Amino acid sequence: MSLERAIKKVAEYLGLEEQVIKDLVNRRVLRYIEYKDLPYIVFRREWKGFREGTVIIIGSTTIKVIHGYPSIQRILLLKAVQRHFIDQVIVEEKMDGYNVRVVFFEDRILAITRGGYICPYTTARLKHMYEEEFKKIFKRYDEDLVLCGEVVGEENPYVQHYYPEAPYFDYFVFDIMRGKSFVKIKERDNIINNTKVKLVRRLGVIGKDDLNTLQHIVRRLERDCREGIVLKDPEHRVKPLKYTTTCTHLNDLELGMKYPFDEGRSFLFSRILREIWKIYEEGIDEKELAERAKALGLAILKPALESINRLREDKAIYEEYTIRVPDIRVLDDFIEYMDKLGVNIALAQVTPLPDGQVKARIIKMKNTDIEFRRILRTGYSPID
Ligand code: ATP
Ligand code: MG
């Protein structure tokens, strides 16, 4: 479909002048893109009530808006819970992967990333695992529901994090949207529970004043080094909150500081801030403070030093991950997709598996490689 035709259809659907849509495309608020034969429009920024990550899919006979998943307010102090909530609070596990909306459109299942792109890799893997189950849900309840969940595990292009219950690739639903709003948690659970699709773990239901239980839950997650919690009102009367563990803050820093000139910069301040307030609220003593400070320092320094040493050994600094596709065409689709998004990746290795699936090792170069090489050569600092 041509861009002009897509603009015309979307304008008609939203009841707006074509020129308004054209301007939004020119200002890059909207982006036109295709997934296979399916054209769609992405809101790259919020615009007049359409959240960032909202998608408009333009089918042959129908058109559909899928709203963006809103961002969740972070808290630095657990005691914020008392002011924020009304009475009951549902404590759910926050899983560390990437946000994926699963939708049903013209008889197919599509997986949409947080930013609003239909990801060919995620779509193929989720279809491979759950296509029938997803279709059952949409047919039985409402074809316009939007499942919101986290893809976790190590076999994905976005966030690689090992989970014992999902080492490679799995999907855990944490919300269901109907239009712009969320269905109640009880209804969400009813919909998902009699299917093979998984839900995130519920860690407790507490009264909003029960700080003790909340602290206890966080300590338990800390022991297993799980990411954190999302706190929700059972009926979404107030917005959810999120809170993360020390283990996660340190892991983030460790990962980010392998590449100080890439993720490192923005990770540093936010993660240190989270730690400061966590330590403050926990009220630890001098001895424990020294231990925590040492762990924090190592998480920052060690990975960066390791990266420098890689260069000394004539190795490059890059990010690396493995994906597994049900068939080789999905790999082609994925590479083409990354290309369209302007993400520079290189295929390092392709291994066919006995069952017909294909494993691919993918490499993404980092800016830090160039910056660190220059520092090693000249000794000059790129920043003051
Ligand atoms: P933002 O700050 O905009 O929310 P982010 O990518 O920085 O985005 P995170 O800090 O990871 O987000 O926290 C929010 C995300 O956590 C959600 O978008 C969702 O993908 C993920 N998540 C994991 N578990 C849950 C859960 N139980 N409930 C809601 N979201 C969850
Ligand atoms: Mg996350």
Side-chain angles (χ1 to χ4, degrees):
M1 184 180 294
S2 70
L3 175 61
E4 284 66 39
R5 212 171 127 66
I7 287 175
K8 192 168 179 297
K9 283 199 162 199
V10 168
E12 204 177 276
Y13 179 71
L14 296 177
L16 295 164
E17 293 291 326
E18 267 177 58
Q19 194 54 44
V20 175
I21 304 295
K22 257 183 216 158
D23 289 344
L24 288 172
V25 172
N26 289 336
R27 281 168 44 207
R28 302 187 195 281
V29 173
L30 296 183
R31 168 156 190 191
Y32 174 77
I33 180 166
E34 281 165 21
Y35 166 77
K36 298 183 191 220
D37 56 324
L38 198 61
Y40 65 101
I41 291 226
V42 181
F43 284 74
R44 301 176 62 210
R45 274 181 275 141
E46 195 268 349
W47 183 78
K48 296 211 173 165
F50 291 99
R51 295 191 285 249
E52 184 180 337
T54 296
V55 183
I56 303 178
I57 309 179
I58 308 157
S60 44
T61 55
T62 49
I63 197 165
K64 183 171 184 166
V65 180
I66 295 120
H67 289 276
Y69 188 84
S71 85
I72 299 177
Q73 172 71 51
R74 177 181 294 278
I75 55 171
L76 294 173
L77 293 172
L78 284 174
K79 72 160 197 189
V81 171
Q82 198 171 0
R83 279 188 57 229
H84 183 86
F85 286 97
I86 302 168
D87 36 47
Q88 298 286 93
V89 185
I90 296 190
V91 186
E92 278 177 10
E93 170 156 23
K94 180 179 197 303
M95 296 189 87
D96 190 8
Y98 59 106
N99 183 309
V100 171
R101 281 164 285 160
V102 170
V103 300
F104 185 77
F105 184 77
E106 293 189 344
D107 212 39
R108 66 216 267 196
I109 295 294
L110 301 169
I112 303 173
T113 61
R114 188 75 189 279
Y117 296 94
I118 301 171
C119 171
Y121 176 70
T122 313
T123 299
R125 287 235 32 194
L126 284 178
K127 270 170 66 177
H128 190 72
M129 289 177 87
Y130 294 121
E131 181 161 36
E132 291 318 307
E133 292 297 309
F134 286 147
K135 285 191 170 168
K136 245 194 271 172
I137 293 172
F138 292 115
K139 292 249 152 75
R140 171 142 182 226
Y141 295 95
D142 178 353
E143 293 190 356
D144 289 331
L145 292 179
V146 177
L147 309 182
C148 308
E150 199 82 347
V151 168
V152 303
E154 291 186 321
E155 282 178 353
N156 74 72
Y158 310 110
V159 178
Q160 299 88 36
H161 185 99
Y162 175 85
Y163 276 94
E165 69 272 40
Y168 305 112
F169 186 103
D170 210 338
Y171 184 63
F172 294 84
V173 170
F174 50 68
D175 274 311
I176 298 180
M177 289 200 286
R178 191 179 269 125
K180 271 187 95 169
S181 51
F182 291 98
V183 309
K184 293 177 181 173
I185 298 206
K186 212 180 247 162
E187 191 185 347
R188 174 199 76 180
D189 293 351
N190 282 339
I191 292 172
I192 300 299
N193 273 339
N194 49 44
T195 70
K196 291 200 184 73
V197 179
K198 294 166 182 148
L199 270 173
V200 291
R201 277 200 297 161
R202 170 180 295 192
L203 304 171
V205 184
I206 60 166
K208 67 178 181 122
D209 297 317
D210 192 359
L211 200 58
N212 265 335
T213 309
L214 203 53
Q215 283 166 341
H216 180 79
I217 291 171
V218 172
R219 273 199 300 274
R220 219 175 56 214
L221 290 175
E222 203 75 73
R223 275 204 294 277
D224 300 332
C225 197
R226 310 277 294 198
E227 189 190 17
I229 49 177
V230 178
L231 303 151
K232 294 177 183 168
D233 180 83
E235 297 180 4
H236 297 288
R237 291 167 298 175
V238 291
K239 291 187 171 149
L241 299 175
K242 65 186 179 195
Y243 184 81
T244 44
T245 58
T246 292
C247 193
T248 297
H249 304 155
L250 298 194
N251 279 351
D252 288 356
L253 283 171
E254 231 164 68
L255 189 77
M257 288 304 286
K258 278 188 187 173
Y259 323 113
F261 285 95
D262 300 89
E263 286 78 12
R265 263 173 210 265
S266 64
F267 273 36
L268 264 179
F269 183 61
S270 56
R271 270 54 174 193
I272 291 173
L273 191 70
R274 292 173 200 174
E275 259 321 271
I276 291 171
W277 287 96
K278 193 158 185 294
I279 289 172
Y280 163 76
E281 193 173 45
E282 287 168 359
I284 63 178
D285 61 21
E286 282 288 322
K287 184 166 161 279
E288 203 187 332
L289 179 62
E291 282 164 22
R292 296 273 281 265
K294 185 176 172 193
L296 178 71
L298 281 174
I300 294 170
L301 300 177
K302 213 171 154 203
L305 286 164
E306 278 167 8
S307 286
I308 298 172
N309 282 328
R310 281 186 70 84
L311 296 179
R312 300 279 310 259
E313 290 163 16
D314 265 342
K315 293 181 196 142
I317 302 172
Y318 51 80
E319 191 189 321
E320 198 178 9
Y321 57 82
T322 299
I323 59 177
R324 181 156 46 109
V325 292
D327 88 74
I328 192 87
R329 275 169 302 183
V330 179
L331 187 59
D332 295 335
D333 292 344
F334 173 70
I335 291 169
E336 195 188 309
Y337 166 73
M338 283 282 138
D339 223 48
K340 271 190 210 164
L341 296 192
V343 184
N344 259 323
I345 55 166
L347 254 186
Q349 196 177 33
V350 178
T351 320
L353 301 173
D355 61 359
Q357 298 195 71
V358 177
K359 247 185 170 175
R361 201 158 58 84
I362 288 168
I363 279 174
K364 204 165 123 197
M365 281 310 294
K366 290 287 179 182
N367 219 350
T368 298
D369 185 272
I370 303 164
E371 298 288 351
F372 270 19
R373 277 177 204 277
R374 196 176 292 136
I375 298 169
L376 270 177
R377 205 174 59 241
T378 66
Y380 290 146
S381 171
I383 60 163
D384 192 21

